[in-house]
Amino acid sequence: MSKVREAVILAGGTGTRMLPASLLTPKEAMPLVDTPILNHLIWEVAKAGVTRIHLVLSEWKKNLLQSSLDGNNYFDLGVRPDLPPEALKLGLEGVEIISHIQQEPGGVADAISVAISHIRGPFLVLLGDMVILENHVGPEFSGPEFASSASLRLVEMFEKTGIPSVGVCEVRREHVDKYGVVEFSGEMVSGIIEKPSPEEAPSNYVLSGRYLFPPDTDGILDLYPVSEHGELQSISLLMHLANNGGLLGVKFDGMKMYDSGNPISWLESQIDHALRRDDIGDQLALWIKERMR
C-alpha cells in the first residue's frame, strides 16, 4: 500500500466573511492567539509523515505569502531566543511547499482539482481555515512534535484498512446547521447532510476539514464536474467513496475544532484556546472574571 506523503491545504477562498480583517491578511495566515493557522496545518501534516504540501491559493493570497513561502525570514532567529526556529517562519525543513492558483472559488473538490495532476498516491486534504487541536501550547512548543495528531489519525487508519476517511468533530446540536453532518453505519459514513436543521440532523458529528483521499481521486472527480454539482461537488465525491468501497468517519473525540470562518467564531476560538493554555490561561481567566463584574 502506498504511503501518504502528500497533502493539499485549501486556502483559495475570498474570505469575505472575515472582512474587513481579511483585507490585508489571508484568514489562513491569521493567528490563533499568536501562531498562524497555516503553521498549525503545516506542522500537523508533517507529523503525519507528509513531505510535500500543495497549497491552493488565490492569486492575491499567493502574492501576499510568496516571500515567506520562498523561505525568506524577516527576523534574525536571535531576536527571540526563547522561541524555536519553526515559530518564526512559514514552512518546515524537509517539507516541500508547492503553490497552486485557483482562479475562482468553487468549493472543496474544485480546489483539489487545481493540484490533483501533481499528486501521486493517496493524499490528505485540509481546509485552510480550520484548526484542530488536542494540546493547547504556546509558540515555544512550535513544530511537528507538539502539533495536532488529527491528520496522523487519518493516515494510521488508512495504513491499517486501505479505506479513505474523513475526520469528524462533535458539536452542540444547535450548531449543526453550520456544517456538513455525518450519518454513520458503525464506523462507516452512510450519508452526509449539508447544513440540516437540528431536528433533521442524523448525528452531532460534522465534517471538520480533514480528509484522506485514495490515489484514483482524479478519475472520480471527472464523474462529478463542478458545472453540474457546484459547491456540493465535494459531497458527491465523498458519497461516491462511501458507496464504492467505503468511507471511514474518524471521530476526533477529545479535540477542539477552531473555525476562522467568521469573526465571532474566531473570537470564541481565540478565547477558548487561550484559556486552555498553561502559559496564559490563568492570566486571561482572571481578567475575564474582573471584566464580567
Side-chain angles (χ1 to χ4, degrees), residues 6 21 24 52 55 58 66 75 102 104 109 117 132 146 149 151 181 198 202 218-219 233 247 273-274 276 280:
E6 303 201 52
L24 300 176
R52 198 164 183 243
L55 185 57
S58 66
Q66 191 59 58
F75 299 100
Q102 185 184 23
E104 298 288 341
S117 64
I132 300 174
F146 304 99
S149 63
S151 288
V181 181
D218 54 344
Q233 182 189 21
L247 180 67
H273 172 61
R276 293 172 186 270
I280 58 175

Side-chain angles (χ1 to χ4, degrees), residues 31-49:
L32 181 59
V33 181
D34 43 20
T35 298
I37 298 172
L38 270 177
N39 279 9
H40 280 293
L41 303 186
I42 290 168
W43 300 335
E44 178 184 322
V45 297
K47 184 172 187 169

